[in-house]
Amino acid sequence: MVVAKISNSFFLSLSKNKLLNKGANKWGLRLGAAQVVAGLTIDSVIEVVRKLNEKGLVCTVDHLGEFVLEYDGALESTNVCIKTLEAIADTGVNCNLSLKLTQLGLDIDQNFCLTNMYKIMDVASKLGIFVRIDMEDYSRRQATLDILDELRKTYGNVGTVIQAYLYCAESDVKSLKGIPLRLVKGAYKESEEVAYQAKEKVNENFMEIIKEHLLSGSYTAIATHDHEVISKVKSFSENLGIPRSQFEFQMLYGFRTDLQQQLSDEGYVVRVYVPYGKDWYGYFMRRLAERPQNVSFALKGFLSK
Ligand code: FDA
């Protein structure tokens, strides 16, 4: 337990280390990251998606990157998102797009970020592809919801993520009734001013917001590797007659692949979140923070280099 606690904060602080992130950009996929990141290029991610589709799993791809502070970098990321959408459409894979607003200039200027999102949404809506705005840490929550609100005035194919560890999660879900949401426990280190710290409270709130969104008739993506939550959602939806077409389970690429396949074989929609790109470091460190057991495969990956 103590090890888990130290590892959690340790990896979350490493995830924000700019120097290491810069280094990782040049290393290629290291430390076992290749098991959870689908390569460095669009071609490599499309190939992975195609194989997952063949197994009955649908996907969402994410071009890794966050906290971009230069205009050029944010414009480049915008173009990569557009190219990714075009590759999805050209190859006909069953896949949508996930992205982070800090990759598109949110920390530079909110209006600039919104303009970049309009460029992406114009293409996505022409191609009929759904776009999910990942939720980052609490300090970016309001800006993310404001941008979503603006985009929803024009586009129906965009949604975001609500994190169950936040006290405001339930009221956010209520105010986003009718909008497709991904519901998660939450991956960042947040203060007790804004977020539950105890796992039990987070789990409890997670079930509350899942029920809230499903019962309001809204399309819901339940993104978790927690089999207990998944079992509860299965029996809850069955008991209340919520159709399977109203929700999907989502898991990360490389995690609980047995469970992903099992749920899909049972007839549930399972969407795999498939990240790719050279900026894998922060994503990978957050995964290690969530589950220190993953350190063992990171070490194996490191030693095998
Ligand atoms: P958690 O890590 O709490 O584990 C609960 C239990 O499940 C464990 O005790 C264990 O029994 C079992 N378990 C978990 N992982 C396992 C494994 N690999 N193998 C075997 N058993 C395992 N966060 C965020 O803040 N913003 C976002 O936009 C997103 N987006 C997102 C998309 C998708 C598709 C997913 C799956 C997750 C996110 N997240 C996220 C991350 C999310 O907030 C959360 O941090 C992680 O999913 C970890 O929490 P879990 O609910 O998976 O279970």
Side-chain angles (χ1 to χ4, degrees):
M1 196 64 177
V2 175
V3 173
K5 269 205 170 127
I6 293 170
S7 303
N8 182 285
S9 320
F10 175 65
F11 288 119
L12 282 176
S13 64
L14 278 185
S15 76
K16 291 191 208 139
N17 188 306
K18 290 204 170 87
L19 208 67
L20 287 172
N21 188 31
K22 235 180 165 177
N25 266 223
K26 294 181 199 140
W27 297 338
L29 292 173
R30 292 285 169 96
L31 308 172
Q35 296 184 45
V36 296
V37 175
L40 301 173
T41 63
I42 295 184
D43 286 349
S44 60
V45 77
I46 293 289
E47 201 37 44
V48 167
V49 169
R50 202 195 299 277
K51 287 192 179 133
L52 290 166
N53 284 174
E54 280 166 12
K55 295 180 181 167
L57 303 159
V58 296
C59 297
T60 183
V61 292
D62 166 44
H63 175 248
L64 290 165
E66 52 201 325
F67 313 127
V68 172
L69 291 175
E70 297 86 31
Y71 281 90
D72 283 355
L75 289 172
E76 196 186 315
S77 297
T78 305
N79 283 335
V80 177
C81 286
I82 290 171
K83 287 209 168 81
T84 307
L85 287 167
E86 289 167 347
I88 291 170
D90 287 349
T91 55
V93 288
N94 190 336
C95 186
N96 61 39
L97 182 74
S98 290
L99 50 76
K100 287 187 173 50
L101 293 181
T102 64
Q103 189 185 29
L104 305 173
L106 184 66
D107 291 353
I108 304 171
D109 170 2
Q110 193 166 322
N111 276 326
F112 168 64
C113 179
L114 179 61
T115 307
N116 290 335
M117 273 307 293
Y118 276 125
K119 290 182 195 164
I120 293 168
M121 288 312 306
D122 275 346
V123 176
S125 101
K126 202 172 76 202
L127 299 175
I129 300 173
F130 181 81
V131 176
R132 173 86 57 196
I133 303 175
D134 286 352
M135 188 59 82
E136 299 178 67
D137 65 298
Y138 184 75
S139 68
R140 277 103 181 174
R141 169 186 153 277
Q142 193 55 55
T144 304
L145 294 178
D146 291 346
I147 287 183
L148 176 75
D149 192 44
E150 273 310 304
L151 295 171
R152 290 282 312 177
K153 291 177 185 161
T154 314
Y155 310 100
N157 57 325
V158 60
T160 192
V161 180
I162 297 296
Q163 298 149 322
Y165 60 16
L166 295 182
Y167 304 137
C168 58
E170 194 173 347
S171 63
D172 283 349
V173 167
K174 281 185 178 153
S175 66
L176 295 170
K177 180 180 166 185
I179 296 178
L181 291 180
R182 175 197 297 152
L183 304 178
V184 299
K185 290 188 189 177
Y188 297 83
K189 179 140 191 65
E190 301 293 0
S191 75
E192 59 189 353
E193 252 106 85
V194 298
Y196 295 110
Q197 308 293 311
K199 274 191 169 199
E200 304 73 52
K201 292 297 285 179
V202 177
N203 289 346
E204 219 173 275
N205 207 36
F206 195 24
M207 282 315 299
E208 285 307 311
I209 60 172
I210 292 169
K211 288 178 184 170
E212 174 69 43
H213 209 50
L214 282 174
L215 287 175
S216 74
S218 314
Y219 191 80
T220 309
I222 299 114
T224 183
H225 309 106
D226 189 336
H227 45 276
E228 286 182 17
V229 171
I230 291 169
S231 299
K232 283 184 192 161
V233 171
K234 281 161 79 175
S235 46
F236 170 78
S237 58
E238 240 151 65
N239 293 342
L240 287 165
I242 293 165
R244 289 182 184 190
S245 56
Q246 200 199 311
F247 65 95
E248 64 187 44
F249 291 111
Q250 295 191 353
M251 291 186 222
L252 303 176
Y253 174 65
F255 289 85
R256 305 215 81 171
T257 47
D258 49 347
L259 186 56
Q260 294 177 12
Q261 193 63 57
Q262 183 200 317
L263 288 167
S264 167
D265 293 345
E266 286 171 20
Y268 292 97
V269 177
V270 178
R271 190 175 300 279
V272 185
Y273 182 107
V274 191
Y276 82 99
K278 62 179 171 44
D279 212 349
W280 52 269
Y281 176 81
Y283 172 84
F284 185 57
M285 286 299 148
R286 277 198 297 280
R287 303 293 79 85
L288 291 182
E290 276 156 10
R291 197 166 160 77
Q293 288 94 318
N294 293 338
V295 172
S296 65
F297 80 51
L299 282 177
K300 272 187 218 143
F302 181 68
L303 293 171
S304 66
K305 291 290 157 194

